[in-house]
Amino acid sequence: MTVTCPPKPPVYITTPIYYVNDQPHVGHAYTSVAADVLARFRRLDGHPVRFLTGTDEHGQKVQRSAEKAGEKEQAFVDRVSERFRTLTRDLHCAPDDFIRTTEPRHRQAVTFLWQTLQEKGWLFRGTYAGWYAVRDEAFYQEGELVHGKAPTGADVEWVEEDSWFFRLSAFQQPLLDFYRQNPGWVGPEGRMQELVSFVSSGLKDLSVSRGAFSWGIPVPGDEGQVVYVWMDALTNYIAALGYPAATPAMADFWPGAVHLMGKDILRFHGVYWPAFLMAAGLPLPRRLFAHGWWTRDGQKMSKSLGNVVDPAVWISHYGADAFRWFLIRHVPFGQDGDFSAESFQHRYVCDLAHDWGNLVQRVLSFVVRHQGGQIPPVHDLTPRDKELLDLGPGILQQVRTWMDQTALHRYPETVWTLVREANRYVDEQKPWALRTTDPARMATVLGVLGRVIVQIAVLLQPLMPVSSQKVLDMLAVPEDSRTFATLEGGVVCPGPVGGEVTPLFPARDGPATPVQQA
Ligand code: MSP
């Protein structure tokens, strides 16, 4: 009788779609890398995965940026969107789709959602008089302002215009009921309380169209108005699955949706989005996770301070893997963190070059020199050998738990217990000394280490795809043996070490120009 495991549930992972008003910075890279780590992990673990990212191209902020650049809106968004696509590639993120809100498929979805809300009686015409922050593309109430600015520090403008409203007030109780019934819906713990407080303090109907400018999706049947950019943008998550068509992607992936975002935009995802979905009769995403905010050397990043971290600088200097490693390893996912050249360099040298790079280097070059590049078979395993070889599957199990909790920073930390153990094993077994005293034992020690290096490289693929692939290629591990199922099913016997063993993370000083160029 063959036992088949039940199929793993589909997972849909999204980043926010990025505004194309400016060039990408570390904040954008952070959400993309986090989402990519999660997506790659789930894929290797046998889940069907869809990973979506893209660009948010409408609204007053983008229109003003195009004007400032002296370009037509479409030409401007085409150009800037391309930069985000390039960043995605440079980061070695592998999304299944990249959506742009100026695409016809997106416009159709927004138009249909609008019509649905209108047919169901959730929209009405009124007059908005209040504060608006173009930088945040958000409305603020008088009481929310701090010293005449938005709570985010953005400038506000007084807006008085006819617009369409969404009956958000009707969703106050349904949202509170939903939060109560799904306490784990938002991570990290504590963030849910923010939503509960905001909604409990009273929801006003939301202005969902603007008439003062034209760069947006026209309101169906009212061409003088464009759809509010947040209603437009949030719809990307279902537009990319084919909505309004009842596609298999919508049926399979939407229930498994996990939205990642920065804490500054949790309110839009945790209040407005579920209200729109409830109003349209659509199911809600499975989970939201709001990560923290990066500062630079303890200061808020801003163009005027000239201290914005440009991902391209760090990637070209240290490589995408090191940049990904730093972002995920350095800061507990969900908390704020500080980006400094010193801490980056420290992690590069200590974690990557020293712990992991050296392990690979010293074991594999020894194998090349003394075993003709062949990872030897293992014989007469000692309890210590077995203990080391058995660590990998347990670590995978632990990491799964962390990923279920979106505790991404725990992932590298946990894999490092194996890296450290392997280094300790080399030091205590001393294969170089065994070469003369007990060559058979030396062969087994190298065999154990080769297998453990494969396990580590397999485990590290979602975090550092480039260097892991390099190690797995050197050891000639077949493509289909690089999944978590093979790691759990028994250690893959690594093939020959091909060619010269070059350092995974060569020595580097910090970059000369660590700030973003205009
Ligand atoms: N377009 C909206 C999202 C619409 S999603 C339906 C938007 N775009 S954004 O480009 O301004 O921001 C995108 C992401 O970058 C947000 O998750 C935001 O939190 C993140 N970050 C921007 N600056 C950041 C830091 N300094 N640190 C960490 N992340 C920050 O909002």
Side-chain angles (χ1 to χ4, degrees):
M1 192 183 74
T2 47
V3 181
T4 47
C5 296
K8 298 199 175 181
V11 185
Y12 182 38
I13 296 160
T14 68
T15 72
I17 47 171
Y18 305 118
Y19 284 129
V20 290
N21 62 307
D22 206 351
Q23 59 180 321
H25 61 67
V26 65
H28 307 113
Y30 190 39
T31 333
S32 290
V33 167
D36 188 59
V37 169
L38 208 48
R40 284 179 187 267
F41 185 89
R42 297 295 190 207
R43 271 189 216 118
L44 281 171
D45 212 14
H47 291 261
V49 172
R50 280 285 279 254
F51 165 25
L52 173 72
T53 187
T55 42
D56 188 352
E57 307 187 0
H58 291 132
Q60 206 165 11
K61 171 152 89 168
V62 171
Q63 186 172 30
R64 284 188 184 170
S65 302
E67 273 164 21
K68 215 169 130 199
E71 286 177 70
K72 283 253 183 292
E73 290 93 347
Q74 191 61 51
F76 176 78
V77 300
D78 287 348
R79 183 170 63 76
V80 185
S81 174
E82 202 45 46
R83 288 183 161 192
F84 283 90
R85 218 184 267 270
T86 305
L87 174 69
T88 308
R89 214 172 26 237
D90 292 348
L91 286 167
H92 284 265
C93 292
D96 299 287
D97 195 358
F98 187 105
I99 192 165
R100 299 181 53 190
T101 55
T102 48
E103 286 175 60
R105 59 170 172 162
H106 178 78
R107 177 190 280 244
Q108 276 159 21
V110 173
T111 306
F112 191 87
L113 180 69
W114 182 283
Q115 284 163 339
T116 307
L117 297 180
Q118 193 162 29
E119 274 161 26
K120 290 180 182 265
W122 295 116
L123 302 178
F124 65 95
R125 191 74 198 217
T127 305
Y128 178 77
W131 297 103
Y132 192 78
V134 176
R135 196 180 85 189
D136 302 343
E137 295 284 18
F139 301 97
Y140 289 105
Q141 292 176 28
E142 184 76 41
E144 289 182 282
L145 301 191
V146 183
H147 305 304
K149 290 196 184 242
T152 56
D155 289 332
V156 289
E157 301 171 11
W158 183 257
V159 169
E160 244 177 270
E161 61 188 17
D162 286 348
S163 71
W164 286 87
F165 281 79
F166 170 71
R167 293 187 196 283
L168 184 62
S169 54
F171 291 89
Q172 178 163 349
Q173 202 48 49
L175 283 169
L176 290 172
D177 292 344
F178 174 77
Y179 300 152
R180 204 185 46 250
Q181 286 152 13
N182 300 276
W185 189 60
V186 177
E189 245 177 82
R191 291 264 169 230
M192 176 62 109
Q193 196 42 45
E194 253 172 54
L195 297 184
V196 172
S197 317
F198 177 73
V199 175
S200 309
S201 71
L203 286 183
K204 287 208 163 46
D205 291 335
L206 179 72
S207 170
V208 286
S209 74
R210 302 288 317 274
F213 61 93
S214 58
W215 184 241
I217 297 176
V219 166
D222 190 355
E223 306 282 308
Q225 299 269 316
V226 293
V227 177
Y228 172 41
V229 67
W230 270 101
M231 181 183 260
D232 168 340
L234 288 160
T235 309
N236 91 87
Y237 299 131
I238 49 176
L241 295 179
Y243 175 86
T247 57
M250 197 61 197
D252 292 347
F253 287 104
W254 182 241
V258 178
H259 296 318
L260 299 186
M261 75 211 71
K263 62 181 183 178
D264 53 316
I265 55 172
L266 178 61
R267 187 188 293 186
F268 301 96
H269 286 81
V271 180
Y272 301 164
W273 184 223
F276 296 155
L277 290 166
M278 283 177 184
L282 290 165
L284 306 195
R286 190 166 64 75
R287 183 166 154 84
L288 311 183
F289 191 94
H291 64 67
W293 201 253
W294 284 96
T295 51
R296 178 65 204 268
D297 299 318
Q299 278 187 308
K300 198 173 153 68
M301 274 183 266
S302 81
K303 260 187 139 179
S304 50
L305 288 174
N307 66 350
V308 176
V309 175
D310 181 352
V313 169
W314 299 83
I315 295 171
S316 63
H317 194 82
Y318 286 100
D321 278 7
F323 188 65
R324 293 167 65 105
W325 175 262
F326 181 75
L327 295 185
I328 302 299
R329 175 66 183 85
H330 193 59
V331 175
F333 199 55
Q335 292 180 23
D336 292 343
D338 189 52
F339 197 107
S340 77
E342 295 71 37
S343 32
F344 195 110
Q345 174 73 9
H346 181 76
R347 293 244 167 245
Y348 183 80
V349 172
C350 297
D351 299 348
L352 300 183
H354 182 265
D355 292 349
W356 172 224
N358 269 355
L359 173 70
V360 173
Q361 184 76 22
R362 58 183 179 157
V363 171
L364 298 196
S365 40
F366 196 83
V367 168
V368 167
R369 243 178 293 129
H370 304 296
Q371 295 286 325
Q374 297 288 315
I375 300 285
V378 290
H379 297 291
D380 306 322
L381 292 174
T382 64
R384 176 72 177 117
D385 300 338
K386 288 195 193 126
E387 182 194 33
L388 184 63
L389 284 171
D390 288 345
L391 272 178
I395 283 181
L396 173 60
Q397 194 44 45
Q398 259 179 319
V399 174
R400 265 193 201 115
T401 314
W402 295 129
M403 297 308 258
D404 290 344
Q405 298 170 17
T406 337
L408 298 194
H409 58 291
R410 299 274 186 210
Y411 174 12
E413 219 173 81
T414 308
V415 177
W416 242 234
T417 53
L418 184 54
V419 173
R420 288 205 193 92
E421 252 333 284
N423 275 316
R424 198 168 302 143
Y425 178 86
V426 179
D427 295 341
E428 94 207 357
Q429 301 291 324
K430 302 187 178 48
W432 54 89
L434 292 169
R435 201 161 71 86
T436 44
T437 57
D438 190 350
R441 175 67 194 150
M442 177 193 77
T444 292
V445 167
L446 292 174
V448 168
L449 283 164
R451 285 157 179 76
V452 170
I453 286 174
V454 171
Q455 289 187 342
I456 298 169
V458 166
L459 283 165
L460 286 179
Q461 290 174 99
L463 284 163
M464 296 193 285
V466 184
S467 52
S468 321
Q469 189 184 338
K470 189 174 162 192
V471 174
L472 295 170
D473 286 350
M474 266 197 294
L475 288 165
V477 177
E479 288 286 341
D480 59 1
S481 299
R482 299 178 181 193
T483 65
F484 294 155
T486 8
L487 193 148
E488 280 182 316
V491 191
V492 187
C493 179
V497 181
E500 198 195 342
V501 183
T502 50
L504 280 188
F505 302 99
R508 293 257 180 280
D509 292 326
T513 353
V515 297
Q516 195 164 30
Q517 302 300 294

